[in-house]
């Protein structure tokens, strides 16, 4: 009888030990899962689009879009961003296919892209868009004046958001349209085309014009007295999210709004664009 009681006691202790051990193991897994709740996010960026996004001399990603997303990352402890440098075309394909969860490339809004990407509620930044012209045409300050003068425009690929900007103008001004031609490639070297008089003007973003022409180390700094940049609009720019990333896009919305309220994006704008485009936000229609 004593032997039976002793066996029962030992058996009970063994079962208790196993249960405790299982409980401890379960707690450890839960802790591990808790620690692993931080989700890694691949943020694609155009690595050759200074000052919007590029690789600096140390090989680190930077630029307005990149640094703004780094600030977003700091406000989202549940996510960890990995910045992946790539081309503009690969970014669009990669985000749409889920290779990247989000991409930044100074992207404008277009109806076509809403079928492939999630546009969040809150925009990322602002971009000045203008015309590159020869110095003798520096008096042309708007699309209306450009069209009225019968000037020719450098071709723009139909899938380039800049094409949409001009096309929207033409739809609103059917009696005074810009001569818009769809190009075979995503973009052409508009500065060179204008300089060679192949066309009268080309559409370009202010930042790249400054880095290519105005900067002393720019590839076209020799043309600084030959060509001009005349802004005709300021447009909101957006990150592009994969279609399955609505929850992530919602988290981004909260973070970017906080950054905007704290004026941290204004500081980035001045750092990378040498001007605060948020000052004209109330005049931005698009």
């Amino acid at each position: 009888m004593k032997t039976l009681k002793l066996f029962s006691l030992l058996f009970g202790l063994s079962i208790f030990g196993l249960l405790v051990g299982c409980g401890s193991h379960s707690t450890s897994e839960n802790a591990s899962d808790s620690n692993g709740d931080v989700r890694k996010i691949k943020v694609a960026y155009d690595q050759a689009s200074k000052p919007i996004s590029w690789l600096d001399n140390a090989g680190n990603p930077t630029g307005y879009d990149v640094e703004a997303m780094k600030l977003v990352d700091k406000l989202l402890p549940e996510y960890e961003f990995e910045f992946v440098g790539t081309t503009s075309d690969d970014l669009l394909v990669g985000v749409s296919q889920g290779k990247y969860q989000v991409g930044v490339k100074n992207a404008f809004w277009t109806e076509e892209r809403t079928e492939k990407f999630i546009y969040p509620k809150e925009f990322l930044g602002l971009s000045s868009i203008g015309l590159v012209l020869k110095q003798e045409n520096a008096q042309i300050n708007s699309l209306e004046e450009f069209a009225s003068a019968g000037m020719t425009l450098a071709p723009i690929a139909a899938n380039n958001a800049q094409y949409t900007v001009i096309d929207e103008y033409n739809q609103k001004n059917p009696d005074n349209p810009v001569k818009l031609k769809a190009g075979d490639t995503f973009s052409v070297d508009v500065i060179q085309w204008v300089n060679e008089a192949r066309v009268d003007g080309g559409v370009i973003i202010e930042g790249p014009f400054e880095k290519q022409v105005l900067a002393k180390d720019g590839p076209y700094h020799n043309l600084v007295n030959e060509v001009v940049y005349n802004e005709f609009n300021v447009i909101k720019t957006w990150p592009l999210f994969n279609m399955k990333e609505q929850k992530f896009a919602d988290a981004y919305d909260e973070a970017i709004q906080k950054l905007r309220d704290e004026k941290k994006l204004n500081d980035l704008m001045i750092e990378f664009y040498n001007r605060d485009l948020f000052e004209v936000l109330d005049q931005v229609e698009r």
Side-chain angles (χ1 to χ4, degrees), residues 161-180:
Q162 295 178 14
Y163 184 98
T164 301
V165 172
I166 306 302
D167 186 51
E168 287 177 349
Y169 163 82
N170 284 348
Q171 292 179 34
K172 293 178 181 178
N173 299 273
D175 297 330
N176 187 34
V178 171
K179 298 175 182 177
L180 180 60

Side-chain angles (χ1 to χ4, degrees), residues 14-228:
S14 298
I15 294 297
F16 177 76
L18 286 171
L19 290 173
V20 170
C22 289
S24 298
H25 180 64
S26 177
T27 302
S28 176
E29 282 187 341
N30 289 339
S32 176
D33 288 343
S34 176
N35 292 333
D37 278 346
V38 177
R39 184 184 173 209
K40 291 188 177 180
I41 294 292
K42 288 189 176 181
V43 182
Y45 68 94
D46 185 341
Q47 63 183 8
S49 189
K50 191 174 183 178
I52 299 154
S53 56
W54 82 97
L55 283 172
D56 64 18
N57 293 334
N60 298 315
T62 190
Y64 175 86
D65 280 12
V66 170
E67 297 301 332
M69 290 299 285
K70 286 180 182 179
L71 292 179
V72 169
D73 186 21
K74 290 180 180 179
L75 293 178
L76 300 178
E78 67 271 34
Y79 298 104
E80 179 183 340
F81 289 10
E82 175 189 353
F83 290 87
V84 183
T86 184
T87 64
S88 179
D89 287 342
D90 178 69
L91 182 152
L92 295 173
V93 173
V95 174
S96 67
Q97 294 180 348
K99 179 181 177 181
Y100 315 115
Q101 284 70 55
V102 64
V104 291
K105 59 179 298 295
N106 199 65
F108 297 168
W109 184 94
T110 70
E111 184 68 39
E112 179 184 4
R113 286 180 180 172
T114 61
E115 299 175 2
K116 299 179 180 179
F117 307 101
I118 291 175
Y119 275 86
K121 294 178 181 178
E122 303 296 334
F123 64 96
L124 182 65
L126 294 162
S127 185
S128 166
I129 184 171
L131 292 166
V132 178
L133 303 160
K134 292 283 283 185
Q135 185 64 247
E136 59 261 31
N137 295 320
Q139 76 281 359
I140 302 295
N141 291 298
S142 67
L143 292 179
E144 291 86 352
E145 293 175 357
F146 187 86
S148 295
M151 292 183 164
T152 56
L153 189 72
I156 309 172
N159 63 338
N160 188 325
Q162 295 178 14
Y163 184 98
T164 301
V165 172
I166 306 302
D167 186 51
E168 287 177 349
Y169 163 82
N170 284 348
Q171 292 179 34
K172 293 178 181 178
N173 299 273
D175 297 330
N176 187 34
V178 171
K179 298 175 182 177
L180 180 60
K181 179 181 179 182
D184 296 327
T185 58
F186 189 77
S187 62
V188 300
D189 192 338
V190 295
I191 297 173
Q192 190 66 16
W193 276 51
V194 171
N195 178 59
E196 294 175 350
R198 297 172 66 178
V199 291
D200 297 312
V203 178
I204 196 170
I205 305 301
E206 182 180 31
F209 179 85
E210 288 186 349
K211 298 302 178 183
Q212 293 181 50
V213 179
L214 303 185
K216 292 183 178 180
D217 60 347
Y220 293 124
H221 185 64
N222 61 305
L223 302 178
V224 68
N225 296 318
E226 303 296 326
V227 296
V228 297

